[in-house]
Amino acid sequence: MRFVLLTGGAGYIGSHTYLALHAAGLTPVILDDFSNSSPVVLERLQRLTGQPVLCERGSVADKARVQALIERYKMTAVIHFAGFKAVGESVAQPLKYFANNLGGMVSLLQAMDATDCRTLLFSSSATVYGDPATVPITEQFPRSYTNPYGHTKLVCEDMLSALCASNPAWRVGVLRYFNPVGAHPSGLIGEDPSGLPNNLMPYVAQVAVGKRPFLNVYGRDYATPDGTGVRDYIHVEDLAAGHVAALQKLLSASENFTVNLGTGQGYSVLEVVRAFEQASGQLVPCQFAPRRSGDVAQCYADASLAHSLLNWRATRTLADMCADAWHWQSCNPDGYR
Ligand code: UFG
């Protein structure tokens, strides 16, 4: 059996990747402190795989614990999902982000180094492109940040470059996610933000299910076809498949890489709302509101490197993303609670 450690494996992207790895014949082991996820996910994963879930409750910053876990299972690789990701919160509480996202990463890398487990996939983000001068965005674009969350992703990437330069035994794949949305088609796992959703799709889903009266559309005067922000929404199932492809590449080739995981196609806020209304048969009332600070007009990937390097590309459409998000939301109006 080949074991793969998933830090933050009970979270939104981690749990979908768990299923994709399992289907590919690998054995994922979750380490999660459940600070932004629910233990109910574990029951759902067990139901979907028909097998007990290997999971430890704990922090990625607990070095001794992580070392012991890597040794116990002789981990083939680590996928590091664990990290805080709310832009606004990172502005209000920067130290929380530096401590967890940077401190956690240093501790994890030390534990990996000490146990000779040096194969890692890292969850980075399109946030490292800041406000791109043009679109689509290739991996060569200059990097910048506009908030502490983005800063931590950028520094983590730099940490990994320095580490790889210091020791050629490291195998590292940096995955820059665009906007992951949707849910597993079973409706058993999905995105479950606590409190008011920050992101568009879960907010739209909560309006459609009647939990919120309307969507605030932040900005209608961007230089985009309909004036609203354009993003590269990617189905979380495609993203999960991207992790499997990236891990296979990392295990079979002797090169490190940084790739965009997106579809290459941008959609505006209003296009997402219309697609969601169509998929759900519900109305999603909208109100225009001022631009949200730090937002960019357009952000979508040039996804060609992932295709040539990993032989992976996203296949699900915006209609699929909305249908699966709606299925999850309507089966679980209160998420995992
Ligand atoms: N939007 C609304 N109303 C809402 C929420 C969002 O109009 O209630 C708009 C935003 O203004 C933006 C678009 O919907 O135009 C997408 O917003 P999201 O918050 O869903 O996604 P972002 O692109 O702003 O942020 C995401 C991740 C960040 C990451 C960033 C860049 O949430 O972690 O992509 O990669 F940093």
Side-chain angles (χ1 to χ4, degrees):
M1 278 213 257
R2 291 211 289 180
F3 294 95
V4 180
L5 177 62
L6 309 191
T7 73
Y12 172 48
I13 300 171
S15 57
H16 289 81
T17 303
Y18 180 101
L19 293 176
L21 291 167
H22 181 268
L26 293 151
T27 307
V29 180
I30 294 174
L31 173 69
D32 204 297
D33 65 2
F34 298 100
S35 59
N36 193 27
S37 57
S38 164
V40 176
V41 171
L42 307 177
E43 297 161 22
R44 305 279 174 95
L45 292 176
Q46 179 155 348
R47 242 168 96 184
L48 287 164
T49 58
Q51 273 169 34
V53 172
L54 299 173
C55 175
E56 290 232 357
R57 181 189 279 261
S59 165
V60 76
D62 183 346
K63 204 186 302 171
R65 181 84 173 278
V66 174
Q67 257 177 245
L69 200 54
I70 292 175
E71 274 165 351
R72 179 165 4 127
Y73 292 99
K74 299 190 173 41
M75 298 290 181
T76 300
V78 176
I79 309 184
H80 183 37
F81 297 104
F84 295 145
K85 58 168 190 175
V87 173
E89 184 187 53
S90 80
V91 174
Q93 300 180 63
L95 295 181
K96 177 173 170 178
Y97 276 69
F98 293 130
N100 189 54
N101 292 8
L102 301 183
M105 174 89 151
V106 171
S107 180
L108 172 68
L109 296 173
Q110 287 174 329
M112 291 178 69
D113 205 34
T115 50
D116 295 325
C117 170
R118 296 192 185 84
T119 302
L120 174 77
L121 282 182
F122 172 63
S123 300
S124 190
S125 163
T127 195
V128 300
Y129 297 117
D131 191 354
T134 56
V135 278
I137 302 168
T138 73
E139 290 80 357
Q140 266 63 56
F141 271 36
R143 298 175 314 150
S144 64
Y145 59 87
T146 53
N147 56 70
Y149 158 71
H151 197 176
T152 64
K153 289 292 175 192
L154 202 141
V155 174
C156 283
E157 288 195 355
D158 290 343
M159 238 188 248
L160 292 171
S161 316
L163 194 58
C164 292
S166 75
N167 181 351
W170 280 93
R171 278 294 147 273
V172 173
V174 171
L175 306 178
R176 292 181 179 154
Y177 307 156
F178 280 69
N179 290 57
V181 297
H184 191 265
S186 64
L188 286 173
I189 59 169
E191 187 171 12
D192 180 20
S194 51
L196 202 65
N198 295 306
N199 298 114
L200 178 65
M201 186 75 86
Y203 205 106
V204 168
Q206 291 195 5
V207 173
V209 86
K211 288 187 75 175
R212 314 219 175 255
F214 59 86
L215 172 77
N216 281 306
V217 176
Y218 298 130
R220 63 187 308 185
D221 57 352
Y222 285 110
T224 60
D226 66 18
T228 66
V230 166
R231 295 290 182 277
D232 187 338
Y233 298 95
I234 174 171
H235 198 299
V236 66
E237 288 276 283
D238 279 328
L239 194 65
H243 287 75
V244 175
L247 186 59
Q248 280 162 348
K249 180 74 183 177
L250 219 47
L251 295 174
S252 66
S254 58
E255 56 180 321
N256 301 321
F257 52 81
T258 297
V259 285
N260 288 338
L261 293 183
T263 65
Q265 163 95 47
Y267 288 103
S268 74
V269 174
L270 296 180
E271 285 174 318
V272 171
V273 168
R274 274 194 293 275
F276 205 97
E277 287 183 329
Q278 210 142 53
S280 65
Q282 307 296 310
L283 274 179
V284 177
C286 292
Q287 284 191 5
F288 287 100
R291 290 181 178 196
R292 194 170 61 174
S293 113
D295 270 357
V296 303
Q298 304 201 64
C299 176
Y300 57 90
D302 179 327
S304 55
L305 180 65
H307 188 236
S308 59
L309 187 77
L310 309 178
N311 195 26
W312 166 90
R313 64 161 48 124
T315 59
R316 288 145 178 103
T317 63
L318 181 62
D320 298 330
M321 302 176 210
C322 293
D324 289 331
W326 173 243
H327 185 44
W328 154 254
Q329 182 70 56
S330 47
C331 293
N332 308 268
D334 296 315
Y336 290 112
R337 283 164 291 275

